[in-house]
Amino acid sequence: MELNVIRAERTLSLLTNTYLANTDTVKTSMGLVLDTVLSQNLFSYMGAAGTTTAETAKRYESAVHKWIARISSLLVGKSSESRMAGILLVKHTTLQSPPIFVENASKWTTSLLNMFGKTDVAAVHVAALQLLLVFMDIVREVPELYREIASAQVPRMNLAVLALADKNSELVDTALELLMYSASWFPTLFRPSIDKTETLCLRMLNGSMARASGTTCKRAANCLASLPLVGGKVTVEERWFQYVLQTIGTIETCIDHVMCAEASVANAEARQIMPGMPAFADDFIVSIPQAADRITSMSELLVALLSRPVNVDVPIPVDGLVAVASKLALVPVRVANSKSNRAEFALVPLLAPQLQRAAIRIMAVLAIALGDYMQPFLSAVARAMTAVNARHLVSATTQVALYSLMQLYVERYGYGFVICLPKELIASAISDLNVQSKRQVSATAGSALSASLSSKKRGGRSRATEVADSEGASNMLQIQYTDVVYSALKTVLALLKHTPTVLNSSLRAQIDGQVLTLLMLEMVGGLSSPAASCSSDARYQVALCQCLEASIMSPDPWQKAVVPHAVSIFSAGLDSPSVAVRNACSEALAAIEPIIHARLPAQLRAPETEKDVEQEYAVPKAILGSQASLSAGLDGSAFTEQPEPKHLSAEELHEQEVEEDEREVEANTKRFKNFSVQPVSTRSMSREKLQLQQPSATVAKHATSFSPAPAVPATTPAPSGTSMFASNKPAVSSTMPAVTPSTDKQQESNDDEEDDDIPDIVMDGSDSEDE
């Protein structure tokens, strides 16, 4: 750390004592001094006394003080060169070390303001104004400096800047920028200068500077748009709304002058115009271009008023803004369709692009500033776009602006805007994707072609071969990309991304065909661009790749397969010399990867919770239990809590079981009326009799599984006296007990013995063969 401080001290001493000592040689040594100050951090060790020795810190502070004294003396020097050097050195010292500026802010600000009263070259005054802007940016963030510098110096600075702008027109741009920031940063201190600033801005916006300097016109509009923040006798909302109404009225007055129409008395009285606007010239050759320039200036003011933050809620006359934009867009169409032979109308086609671009700028700023509040006015905007798109009036610059406006509205409003847009405008954007192409014939190829044509006496086959070879060598397809093509590509890309279903199959086929053609020509090397070696066509290639990707990601049901061609194009684009093209192709390949290689099918769902599984497995138990039935298990009543069973004796249990058997037999007897059932208590029979009574199945009252035998359709009625338990029919009633098949041996023996004795059973409601 100490070595760095020593190095900075020696460097500052060398610069101060050697290169800045002589005022006459400062001009020749300023390059070296500025390079050293910018490349080395010489002023970052202020207040670093605790990290170095006291002697080193003292020498460093002494070198810094000498530097400050020297540049302050240069700031008030007699020659313009010394003052310019002082301004530059003070600026970079302030930017590198704000503490140094805090200590010398008052002295340096006073020196700069005194400089404005002297006659000097414009470059020195411009540098001084820029340095004051840097000072004010720092002062507004420091409360101590705000009280010391801003309160005392800002009103004086505003008046000095206004006087300087009146004297020298070359300083108007920088003066307007400084006044704009001063009104935004110090609104209360700017109130004494508001009237003079408004007069200066309107003088720049009367149309005289629209063609001479577009930058001056924009800065004057921004400066005037910042004046409502100042407040004063009129509130912010009132002054802002008044400016908007006056701007709209001025534009409508200019439109009436271009159309050679006079407003009605009622409209003229209700219309507000900007004060201080000069009257139009008597000669229409001068007045009509003057009106068009004033329209351009007022449109810039509308853009500034709608785009700059106001920090309060203001009323916006959306109806008037949309109406004035539509009027501007329709002026060339109205003049072209007019049957009048006025000489004034001959100038309107020359001014049509200027008027149309003004309308486009107003519609664009409305979409940016108002957002969803423009939804009710989208149809009017679409009609204005259609008027601008008139082929016999539109220029290339206007077409670029129109497609950019379409892209903005499609991205912001989607289908809400596109459904209002005429199909002709969409088809126009797609047709502009067809770039201009021509055949080029080189000198060598031309001579070869002449030689081949002159040798007509040769054989027909050899002559045809030579002609074909010469044509293949000479013809080179040259594509001329333009800004119109690029803006059309961006518009089509927005349509494919946000509203793909608006494009029908024919339009999609046209888009895919043109995009694939251009990209494949680039891939195979058949495309020779005028500036291909400069990589100036990279943005067009990126836009083409993005359009192809968007077409694949939002396919049409009747769209032809373009994925194989797209994979080849994107893979070849990975070897492009342009980084932007490589990135676009890489992103496109990543996007279409799921289409090329589909993912695995959907897997089984996650296992159910433990509670659901236990409840599902509890159903068979509930059905087969002694206290539940099938209907009880299905309706959920079996899951209710049962009271704990009482302890019964053996006789009571036997009696309860006999009663249950009797109730079951009685229920089955009522259900099956086509045959009779002999009530038999299986509990009171011996094992041998029970097997003889039931040779094919064994009753298992309390079995743990439910596995009925497959049903067999009945054909003949059953004789009376046959028991239902001796049949292989499944139980139909939900209250029947479960039947478990017997063992294999017993089943085989029973089948052999009684295979011929078991008749079929016909139940009520079943269909027999006799029927």
Side-chain angles (χ1 to χ4, degrees):
M1 182 67 178
E2 185 172 359
L3 294 177
N4 293 334
V5 175
I6 293 173
R7 178 187 56 80
E9 180 267 329
R10 290 178 179 177
T11 304
L12 286 174
S13 300
L14 178 64
L15 295 177
T16 305
N17 299 328
T18 303
Y19 294 99
L20 300 180
N22 190 356
T23 307
D24 298 333
T25 60
V26 168
K27 180 179 178 181
T28 58
S29 59
M30 273 302 296
L32 176 61
V33 175
L34 286 176
D35 189 25
T36 305
V37 172
L38 292 174
S39 60
Q40 301 183 27
N41 198 1
L42 301 177
F43 305 102
S44 62
Y45 307 108
M46 294 295 296
T51 58
T52 60
T53 60
E55 183 179 358
T56 303
K58 185 177 181 179
R59 288 201 306 269
Y60 175 74
E61 292 178 359
S62 176
V64 172
H65 288 315
K66 289 180 180 179
W67 171 269
I68 295 173
R70 184 54 187 157
I71 62 176
S72 299
S73 62
L74 290 174
L75 193 62
V76 295
K78 296 181 180 180
S79 63
S80 300
E81 291 82 1
S82 64
R83 288 195 291 271
M84 177 63 78
I87 291 172
L88 295 177
L89 293 176
V90 167
K91 179 180 179 180
H92 292 292
T93 303
T94 301
L95 294 176
Q96 287 194 10
S97 179
I100 294 179
F101 168 73
V102 173
E103 296 177 359
N104 303 273
S106 179
K107 179 175 60 176
W108 286 348
T109 305
T110 304
S111 300
L112 290 174
L113 293 178
N114 293 334
M115 194 182 300
F116 293 153
K118 301 177 182 180
T119 303
D120 210 335
V121 295
V124 176
H125 284 159
V126 170
L129 290 172
Q130 293 176 351
L131 182 57
L132 275 177
L133 184 60
V134 174
F135 285 178
M136 294 303 106
D137 193 10
I138 299 175
V139 165
R140 69 188 181 98
E141 301 291 342
V142 182
E144 296 81 3
L145 292 178
Y146 189 92
R147 293 190 297 267
E148 179 183 355
I149 304 299
S151 301
Q153 301 292 348
V154 167
R156 179 190 172 189
M157 179 192 70
N158 295 332
L159 296 175
V161 170
L162 287 170
L164 195 63
D166 291 335
K167 293 179 182 179
N168 192 348
S169 60
E170 297 180 2
L171 305 175
V172 172
D173 291 354
T174 310
L176 289 172
E177 184 180 7
L178 181 59
L179 291 172
M180 178 189 66
Y181 285 111
S182 178
S184 302
W185 294 342
F186 313 102
T188 56
L189 300 175
F190 195 84
R191 289 174 184 173
S193 307
I194 187 171
D195 295 333
K196 293 184 178 180
T197 305
E198 181 178 337
T199 303
L200 175 63
C201 294
L202 291 177
R203 191 169 74 246
M204 299 295 109
L205 293 173
N206 60 8
S208 58
M209 303 298 295
R211 296 180 184 275
S213 178
T215 304
T216 303
C217 184
K218 291 181 180 180
R219 290 188 178 181
N222 290 327
C223 183
L224 188 62
S226 64
L227 295 183
L229 300 174
V230 176
K233 298 180 180 180
V234 183
T235 61
V236 177
E237 298 90 341
E238 293 176 352
R239 187 182 296 274
W240 189 91
F241 189 68
Q242 181 183 3
Y243 281 167
V244 172
L245 291 182
Q246 290 176 350
T247 306
I248 294 175
T250 305
I251 294 176
E252 290 179 345
T253 303
C254 295
I255 292 174
D256 293 341
H257 184 77
V258 172
M259 296 298 299
C260 300
E262 295 182 1
S264 61
V265 178
N267 292 338
E269 292 178 356
R271 183 180 296 171
Q272 302 182 25
I273 60 174
M274 280 292 180
M277 289 291 171
F280 296 111
D282 297 334
D283 190 0
F284 71 90
I285 297 178
V286 178
S287 63
I288 291 181
Q290 184 182 2
D293 294 341
R294 190 172 296 179
I295 289 173
T296 302
S297 302
M298 289 295 106
S299 65
E300 291 292 342
L301 180 57
L302 277 181
V303 170
L305 287 170
L306 292 172
S307 59
R308 289 188 62 83
V310 188
N311 302 326
V312 294
D313 295 334
V314 293
I316 302 177
V318 186
D319 296 339
L321 292 171
V322 174
V324 74
S326 300
K327 287 181 181 179
L328 279 175
L330 290 172
V331 166
V333 179
R334 290 170 57 188
V335 171
N337 296 334
S338 177
K339 298 180 181 179
S340 177
N341 295 326
R342 298 180 64 97
E344 292 86 347
F345 289 171
L347 297 176
V348 176
L350 303 178
L351 305 172
Q354 183 179 359
L355 300 177
Q356 290 171 339
R357 288 196 299 270
I360 289 172
R361 285 183 60 83
I362 294 174
M363 289 186 285
V365 74
L366 285 175
I368 295 172
L370 300 183
D372 291 338
Y373 291 101
M374 278 293 293
Q375 292 280 359
F377 307 96
L378 293 180
S379 58
V381 173
R383 289 193 297 269
M385 289 185 184
T386 306
V388 173
N389 194 50
R391 284 294 181 180
H392 60 283
L393 297 173
V394 72
S395 63
T397 308
T398 307
Q399 200 73 27
V400 171
L402 178 62
Y403 287 153
S404 301
L405 182 65
M406 284 180 57
Q407 177 188 353
L408 173 64
Y409 271 82
V410 169
E411 291 176 351
R412 282 188 172 267
Y413 302 106
Y415 285 98
F417 170 72
V418 176
I419 59 176
C420 303
L421 199 65
K423 301 299 181 183
E424 294 79 8
L425 195 54
I426 299 176
S428 174
I430 296 174
S431 63
D432 280 336
L433 295 180
N434 297 323
V435 298
Q436 299 177 0
S437 61
K438 62 181 181 179
R439 297 286 180 178
Q440 286 185 337
V441 181
S442 60
T444 305
S447 60
L449 180 60
S450 302
S452 62
L453 292 176
S454 60
S455 58
K456 293 183 179 180
K457 296 182 179 180
R458 300 181 182 179
R461 182 176 180 181
S462 60
R463 185 172 65 252
T465 304
E466 290 180 2
V467 171
D469 293 341
S470 63
E471 288 182 354
S474 62
N475 289 340
M476 182 67 69
L477 184 62
Q478 182 183 14
I479 303 300
Q480 297 179 351
Y481 286 117
T482 60
D483 291 337
V484 176
V485 175
Y486 182 74
S487 59
L489 279 172
K490 301 299 287 186
T491 303
V492 171
L493 177 60
L495 290 171
L496 289 173
K497 281 186 176 181
H498 300 278
T499 58
T501 57
V502 174
L503 305 172
N504 54 33
S505 299
S506 61
L507 294 178
R508 292 294 294 269
Q510 186 178 354
I511 294 172
D512 294 341
Q514 186 63 24
V515 171
L516 283 173
T517 300
L518 294 175
L519 286 174
M520 293 181 72
L521 285 173
E522 179 68 23
M523 181 183 67
V524 301
L527 179 63
S528 177
S529 178
S533 59
C534 300
S535 300
S536 60
D537 295 340
R539 61 170 185 159
Y540 301 100
Q541 297 170 14
V542 171
L544 289 170
C545 293
Q546 291 174 350
C547 285
L548 185 57
E549 176 190 353
S551 179
I552 295 173
M553 299 307 295
S554 57
D556 185 72
W558 294 274
Q559 184 183 11
K560 294 183 179 180
V562 296
V563 175
H565 303 292
V567 172
S568 302
I569 291 170
F570 294 148
S571 301
L574 297 177
D575 299 331
S576 175
S578 174
V579 178
V581 175
R582 293 200 300 269
N583 293 338
C585 293
S586 178
E587 294 175 1
L589 285 174
I592 66 176
E593 176 65 20
I595 301 176
I596 303 171
H597 302 98
R599 297 294 186 264
L600 292 175
Q603 303 298 313
L604 294 175
R605 64 176 183 175
E608 298 177 350
T609 59
E610 184 177 356
K611 182 178 179 180
D612 296 338
V613 174
E614 292 178 355
Q615 185 175 355
E616 182 179 357
Y617 287 158
V619 174
K621 286 186 177 182
I623 294 175
L624 298 173
S626 60
Q627 301 295 331
S629 62
L630 182 60
S631 60
L634 293 176
D635 62 13
S637 60
F639 300 104
T640 58
E641 295 183 359
Q642 301 291 341
E644 295 182 359
K646 297 180 180 180
H647 298 284
L648 302 176
S649 61
E651 295 178 358
E652 292 176 347
L653 289 174
H654 180 71
E655 293 177 359
Q656 185 176 358
E657 291 175 355
V658 171
E659 292 177 359
E660 290 177 0
D661 292 339
E662 291 177 355
R663 285 196 298 270
E664 292 175 0
V665 171
E666 183 180 357
N668 293 332
T669 304
K670 291 179 180 180
R671 184 170 181 82
F672 303 102
K673 296 179 180 180
N674 292 341
F675 55 88
S676 61
V677 179
Q678 182 69 28
V680 179
S681 177
T682 58
R683 302 285 184 181
S684 60
M685 296 177 64
S686 63
R687 183 178 183 84
E688 293 78 5
K689 292 182 179 181
L690 182 60
Q691 292 178 356
L692 294 175
Q693 182 73 20
Q694 303 175 357
S696 61
T698 304
V699 178
K701 171 69 176 164
H702 302 287
T704 58
S705 63
F706 182 71
S707 157
V712 179
T715 56
T716 57
S720 61
T722 306
S723 176
M724 64 171 293
F725 300 106
S727 173
N728 288 332
K729 299 292 182 181
V732 179
S733 175
S734 61
T735 59
M736 290 292 291
V739 179
T740 304
S742 60
T743 59
D744 296 340
K745 284 186 177 181
Q746 185 178 357
Q747 184 69 27
E748 292 175 359
S749 61
N750 293 335
D751 291 343
D752 295 338
E753 294 175 1
E754 300 186 11
D755 210 8
D756 299 330
D757 298 334
I758 300 176
D760 293 332
I761 299 175
V762 179
M763 302 180 184
D764 290 341
S766 62
D767 298 332
S768 63
E769 293 181 14
D770 298 337
E771 296 178 356

